[in-house]
Amino acid sequence: MTFRKLCLLLLVCCIFLTGCFDSSVILERLSISVAMGFDKKNDEEMVVTTVLLAALPEATEASQVLSVTADTSKGAKDKFDREVSRKLVSGQVRSIIYDRGLAKEGIMNIADTLSRDPAFGDMVYLMVSNESSEDLLHYKYTHFPNVGLYLGEMIDQNIELGWLMPSTIHYFRKRFYSVGIDPALPIIERKGSLLNVKGSAVFRDDRMVGEISAKESSYLTLVSNKIKPSSLQIVMKKDGLSKYIKHDTQRTPTVKVDLRNLNFSTSVKLVSAKDLQFEVNVKMDSELQEISADYHFSIPGAIDLLEREMKSHLEQELLAFFEHLQQLGSDPVGFGEIYRSSVRHSGLTKDQWRDMFPKAAFKTNVNIRLVRTGTIE
Amino acid sequence: MKADVMPKPQNMFQAYMLLFLISSGQIGVGIFGFQRIVGMHSDHDAWISVIVAGIVSHIVVGLMFWILSKHESADLYGIHQHLFGRWIGNGLSMVMMVYYVMVSVTIVRTYIELIQSWIFPTFPTWVLSMTLLLLAWYGITGGIRLIAGLSTISFFVILFFIGTLYISPIKYASWSHLLPIGETSPWAIMKGTISMGLTISGFESIFYIYPYIKDKSNGAKYAQYSLLFSNIIYLFMMIMGIVYFSKGQLTRSIWASTSMLKIVKFPFLERLEYIASSVWMFVVIPGLMIYIWVLGRGFKRMMGWKQRMMTPIICFVIFIGSLISQDREHIHMLSTFTGRCALFVVFLYPVVLFLFQTLILGIRDQSDKKGAAE
């Protein structure tokens, strides 16, 4: 064999030798963590729960849930190592759950730890659990095999439908480190043997200061998110619409309308920097999906009236929502960011905005256009 | 030694190769983390700093070609001797060479740190350093034409990576971060521009590869195009850094460009940043090779030592240099210091040299005329 051929052979060997590098990471020899829960135990310690994918084919359960008490999240990892037979890896973690106790104290420390570690992706969802996350994760759900995977998918699809703000680590850190915008994370609760998104927790810096309902969460995405809610329910007083209601058989004093939102354009503007007045403009093209009264759509003016009623109702709802946020002292919409970006040399700091936000005034301007009423009138 | 060098025709290349050579010399590891450094100085107006730095680099390259055009086919080593005589000229060249060693060490060490922080935390520095330098040595034995060829690959890797991978992060952009435009003071923007020094440098190799260009009259044109390309890439990455991260978050991200890739996800591949930082070796190596080649040329031109012999020795020196700094603080200090030097060597020195050359050649011309008249 010539020298050249030998060299070539060695080179080819080198290519395959790369497979020997770091051979401790083999899928069959890993415990893959898919979700983690953090609960406050006392001032010093927390309870950390992790949901593992069961890699053992002979296991009866599809997941394995472990809990340990630790004072740091990496300390918990060391304790988990003593409880599992295979190397614990966290590259597949999809959801991180905090209980209210920790969320109220501040979670930035844990969020930064996750971001510091390149093993975690930035698309990990953060959420707050209504009860302790230990209970939430340890419960034996009958409808799905692995609660960790289920949670991640659940949040994912809610974000895609525009019900929730994207609650990834990146999103949380981005908002924490910026002036005039606060994070909001979904609140998860267990309802019997199912899981449910209860609403959103709103934060001041990294501390949870209050919660908003699921409906308010959709208003939040409507005003500030790129993905807008896919449908909206509007509950109005019947009086204004009674003119066009045919047979008023129901006793309820309200009319409920369900809209599928086809097209949205939202803009938030700072109208006056001196008076700190914001104008929120919402323009939406919608399709009526359901109406709880027998409404005469064919009469001229009927649709106009309905649009007007819905408009004024939604405007008030949004105003009430902003007021609620002002009371809580949290600005997940990002009015502060709009202030900062529209006023030159504002030099806005977080503390300044904390004082200014409750004094802000809002004007809402909703424009609903009913494009269709479905396939029937 | 004469100022002019006449390389063999088979070692020369067409001027359009400068398009790849210069941009791959410029774009290297710096692109992963420059946003943070510039952003620290000039906040959300950091992109203006990048544009200013770009314009400055265009002017400097213009001057460099002006200096070179006064000679037939010279490199900086020759020009130094021609202008300042043997001792001072070679002394100046030596100073430049020390700087190139520093830059090479910085490139190697920063890239290794990237690999260690993102992919293999326990990977020993010397193994990676040796791998990189052995590859560089192997490449340099092929001469400048081979380096130019590799640069072409690196050019398309840059184009492909930046053009495809950074589409996803755009979806998460908050464009209001850019407003209000021009809020930062001009002084802060200047400081940001200055901190771009090391990142944008890399075009100084023109001084040495100039003799190897076949059609020298086209050189300046392609060099400027190449600069424009890398400046646009830098501008794009800077704007991405500002809109994707919030201000406080950006100043905490050591490798902003890699962090941005953390959200890119394919069904078959979840963690793209691993692939990206590994493939980036294709971009880092040609840049490193250009510097080592320039160093080897220096020994050849000044002392007459064979480049083939000197290349492994230079690689070994860089290897030793890359082992000295071990922690983040050291590496940060190293790159800050090299960045300072880059300002003088890459940006200020061509201006000074331009003035000196005009002066000295002017005086010589006059005395020549006098001599002719007598």
Side-chain angles (χ1 to χ4, degrees):
Chain A
M1 205 189 287
T2 60
F3 180 67
R4 262 166 193 273
K5 270 188 186 163
L6 195 73
C7 280
L8 198 71
L9 195 72
L10 278 173
L11 211 69
V12 171
C13 286
C14 281
I15 294 172
F16 291 109
L17 272 174
T18 54
C20 300
F21 184 80
D22 209 1
S23 53
S24 60
V25 202
I26 292 171
L27 195 62
E28 287 76 20
R29 292 188 204 152
L30 296 176
S31 289
I32 299 164
S33 174
V34 287
M36 290 182 92
F38 295 91
D39 297 314
K40 190 184 166 181
K41 193 179 185 196
N42 50 43
D43 283 344
E44 289 292 312
E45 288 175 315
M46 55 190 179
V47 178
V48 185
T49 312
T50 187
V51 182
L52 306 176
L53 272 185
L56 293 167
E58 57 272 22
T60 46
E61 300 282 333
S63 65
Q64 185 188 1
V65 187
L66 302 172
S67 287
V68 293
T69 308
D71 41 8
T72 59
S73 56
K74 290 289 159 194
K77 163 100 175 40
D78 299 342
K79 287 195 175 173
F80 284 134
D81 286 340
R82 292 174 208 148
E83 296 190 13
V84 291
S85 61
R86 294 164 171 190
K87 190 180 172 183
L88 188 73
V89 289
S90 36
Q92 287 293 320
V93 169
R94 293 280 190 267
S95 24
I96 309 271
I97 305 136
Y98 302 97
D99 78 331
R100 280 166 184 269
L102 265 184
K104 279 181 183 144
E105 268 183 8
I107 55 175
M108 198 53 216
N109 197 1
I110 305 175
D112 254 356
T113 308
L114 297 174
S115 205
R116 194 182 300 281
D117 186 351
F120 285 93
D122 255 359
M123 296 307 273
V124 178
Y125 294 119
L126 303 183
M127 53 197 96
V128 176
S129 72
N130 205 25
E131 57 264 41
S132 84
S133 66
E134 192 186 0
D135 295 345
L136 187 92
L137 296 175
H138 271 286
Y139 185 82
K140 295 243 182 304
Y141 298 92
T142 43
H143 298 286
F144 37 88
N146 191 312
V147 57
L149 294 177
Y150 189 83
L151 262 177
E153 279 166 18
M154 188 170 102
I155 299 295
D156 200 39
Q157 79 108 15
N158 271 292
I159 290 168
E160 255 163 49
L161 289 176
W163 297 123
L164 292 173
M165 293 298 278
S167 62
T168 55
I169 293 189
H170 169 67
Y171 163 90
F172 189 86
R173 293 183 73 240
K174 181 176 182 175
R175 292 191 161 213
F176 174 80
Y177 286 123
S178 83
V179 175
I181 191 159
D182 289 308
L185 300 180
I187 299 179
I188 308 294
E189 63 176 354
R190 185 171 63 80
K191 247 188 179 175
S193 62
L194 284 172
L195 291 166
N196 177 41
V197 180
K198 196 182 167 213
S200 293
V202 290
F203 286 72
R204 181 191 290 174
D205 295 336
D206 65 334
R207 281 170 293 120
M208 174 179 168
V209 288
E211 63 178 281
I212 56 176
S213 64
K215 178 137 205 171
E216 283 173 314
S217 300
S218 62
Y219 289 149
L220 181 60
T221 56
L222 192 155
V223 180
S224 62
N225 198 14
K226 274 175 196 158
I227 307 171
K228 311 286 187 193
S230 49
S231 61
L232 271 184
Q233 192 189 47
I234 299 175
V235 185
M236 291 166 290
K237 290 234 163 64
K238 202 178 255 177
D239 308 345
L241 295 166
S242 54
K243 208 164 120 194
Y244 296 107
I245 294 174
K246 267 188 261 179
H247 310 289
D248 196 359
T249 48
Q250 287 145 320
R251 293 286 167 86
T252 51
T254 54
V255 176
K256 300 183 191 76
V257 179
D258 267 283
L259 297 176
R260 174 153 69 193
N261 304 317
L262 305 170
N263 214 339
F264 256 114
S265 77
T266 322
S267 69
V268 184
K269 278 196 209 102
L270 181 69
V271 190
S272 151
K274 200 164 68 100
D275 308 330
L276 205 59
Q277 197 173 31
F278 291 95
E279 191 183 76
V280 180
N281 291 305
V282 179
K283 253 174 107 173
M284 48 197 270
D285 292 346
S286 311
E287 184 185 282
L288 186 129
Q289 288 199 306
E290 191 178 343
I291 183 160
S292 65
D294 197 0
Y295 197 73
H296 267 295
F297 288 103
S298 45
I299 302 173
I303 290 182
D304 266 1
L305 182 72
L306 187 63
E307 281 175 352
R308 271 206 305 279
E309 284 289 312
M310 290 193 296
K311 165 194 154 82
S312 66
H313 179 81
L314 200 59
E315 280 175 353
Q316 280 164 16
E317 287 266 290
L318 284 176
L319 278 181
F321 168 58
F322 298 148
E323 244 170 58
H324 187 197
L325 290 178
Q326 281 179 315
Q327 278 165 15
L328 295 173
S330 165
D331 178 14
V333 178
F335 289 111
E337 167 67 16
I338 287 152
Y339 179 84
R340 186 203 63 77
S341 61
S342 17
V343 179
R344 289 185 84 83
H345 302 293
S346 60
L348 194 70
T349 62
K350 278 194 165 205
D351 290 337
Q352 272 175 7
W353 185 243
R354 293 273 167 259
D355 298 336
M356 284 161 77
F357 180 55
K359 293 177 202 138
F362 302 101
K363 223 178 104 189
T364 49
N365 222 333
V366 179
N367 196 345
I368 301 181
R369 205 161 68 90
L370 273 183
V371 183
R372 297 187 273 275
T373 55
T375 49
I376 57 164
E377 265 200 336
Chain B
M1 189 177 86
K2 279 195 306 185
D4 293 334
V5 242
M6 296 297 171
K8 287 180 199 143
Q10 70 263 29
N11 288 335
M12 292 165 84
F13 52 82
Q14 294 288 330
Y16 69 83
M17 288 306 275
L18 281 181
L19 197 63
F20 311 121
L21 262 170
I22 292 170
S23 62
S24 83
Q26 279 188 285
I27 299 174
V29 272
I31 200 162
F32 282 114
F34 77 102
Q35 294 104 320
R36 162 174 176 255
I37 315 281
V38 185
M40 266 186 218
H41 294 292
S42 44
D43 286 356
H44 57 274
D45 284 329
W47 59 275
I48 301 178
S49 299
V50 176
I51 293 181
V52 174
I55 292 170
V56 171
S57 70
H58 278 289
I59 295 170
V60 170
V61 168
L63 275 179
M64 284 163 74
F65 272 97
W66 188 287
I67 295 169
L68 289 164
S69 68
K70 297 287 171 210
H71 306 266
E72 194 190 333
S73 172
D75 60 2
L76 192 63
Y77 298 123
I79 294 175
H80 273 155
Q81 285 201 358
H82 183 65
L83 292 181
F84 305 110
R86 192 181 162 140
W87 289 105
I88 302 177
N90 279 359
L92 276 172
S93 300
M94 282 298 207
V95 173
M96 302 298 259
M97 282 166 71
V98 170
Y99 166 75
Y100 298 139
V101 171
M102 264 166 54
V103 177
S104 313
V105 170
T106 314
I107 292 175
V108 172
R109 193 61 194 96
T110 336
Y111 182 67
I112 292 173
E113 199 204 2
L114 174 87
I115 298 290
Q116 285 173 335
S117 318
W118 282 93
I119 315 176
F120 304 122
T122 54
F123 211 109
T125 308
W126 67 270
V127 176
L128 259 173
S129 177
M130 202 174 71
T131 320
L132 275 175
L133 290 164
L134 279 178
L135 272 174
W137 175 26
Y138 173 64
I140 292 162
T141 50
I144 188 73
R145 280 173 62 101
L146 192 136
I147 300 177
L150 269 175
S151 303
T152 316
I153 298 178
S154 124
F155 179 88
F156 287 106
V157 168
I158 296 169
L159 204 61
F160 176 76
F161 262 61
I162 306 241
T164 54
L165 297 186
Y166 287 90
I167 303 285
S168 307
I170 289 181
K171 283 187 236 153
Y172 299 85
S174 321
W175 295 102
S176 71
H177 285 177
L178 290 171
L179 297 170
I181 293 170
E183 204 187 20
T184 325
S185 69
W187 176 235
I189 290 177
M190 262 325 283
K191 269 178 153 173
T193 307
I194 288 171
S195 67
M196 275 290 285
L198 186 60
T199 313
I200 212 161
S201 73
F203 50 78
E204 62 270 27
S205 56
I206 295 172
F207 267 141
Y208 309 97
I209 53 181
Y210 183 74
Y212 286 84
I213 305 168
K214 260 188 200 145
D215 41 343
K216 293 192 172 51
S217 52
N218 288 332
K221 186 175 72 185
Y222 286 111
Q224 296 287 2
Y225 285 152
S226 185
L227 273 179
L228 189 65
F229 169 76
S230 34
N231 287 336
I232 288 171
I233 296 275
Y234 280 132
L235 181 62
F236 173 72
M237 294 306 284
M238 188 70 235
I239 291 177
M240 281 305 297
I242 299 170
V243 296
Y244 181 78
F245 296 106
S246 60
K247 194 176 135 194
Q249 201 184 3
L250 181 63
T251 49
R252 271 172 190 79
S253 307
I254 304 174
W255 292 280
S257 307
T258 325
S259 296
M260 269 187 253
L261 294 180
K262 279 176 93 173
I263 54 133
V264 184
K265 221 176 194 178
F266 293 114
F268 54 92
L269 187 67
E270 280 211 1
R271 309 300 300 282
L272 210 83
E273 67 267 22
Y274 285 19
I275 309 278
S277 11
S278 319
V279 173
W280 210 253
M281 198 189 245
F282 276 110
V283 181
V284 173
I285 287 261
L288 183 64
M289 273 162 49
I290 294 172
Y291 279 113
I292 299 175
W293 180 84
V294 167
L295 282 164
R297 287 289 300 162
F299 287 112
K300 169 118 203 301
R301 297 273 288 138
M302 285 190 291
M303 287 87 164
W305 297 342
K306 272 194 176 157
Q307 191 165 3
R308 194 175 276 271
M309 296 301 294
M310 284 316 288
T311 305
I313 298 172
I314 298 162
C315 286
F316 185 73
V317 171
I318 296 169
F319 172 70
I320 298 293
S322 70
L323 298 184
I324 294 170
S325 43
Q326 283 297 343
D327 52 33
R328 178 93 263 276
E329 208 180 327
H330 268 147
I331 296 162
H332 187 71
M333 258 168 53
L334 176 73
S335 58
T336 316
F337 182 68
T338 320
R340 294 261 163 78
C341 297
L343 281 183
F344 292 102
V345 176
V346 183
F347 292 91
L348 214 57
Y349 184 65
V351 182
V352 176
L353 188 67
F354 169 74
L355 294 176
F356 265 102
Q357 174 168 293
T358 332
L359 203 73
I360 292 171
L361 290 185
I363 292 168
R364 281 184 198 167
D365 257 13
Q366 289 224 324
S367 54
D368 279 358
K369 266 181 209 159
K370 246 184 209 168
E374 278 167 11

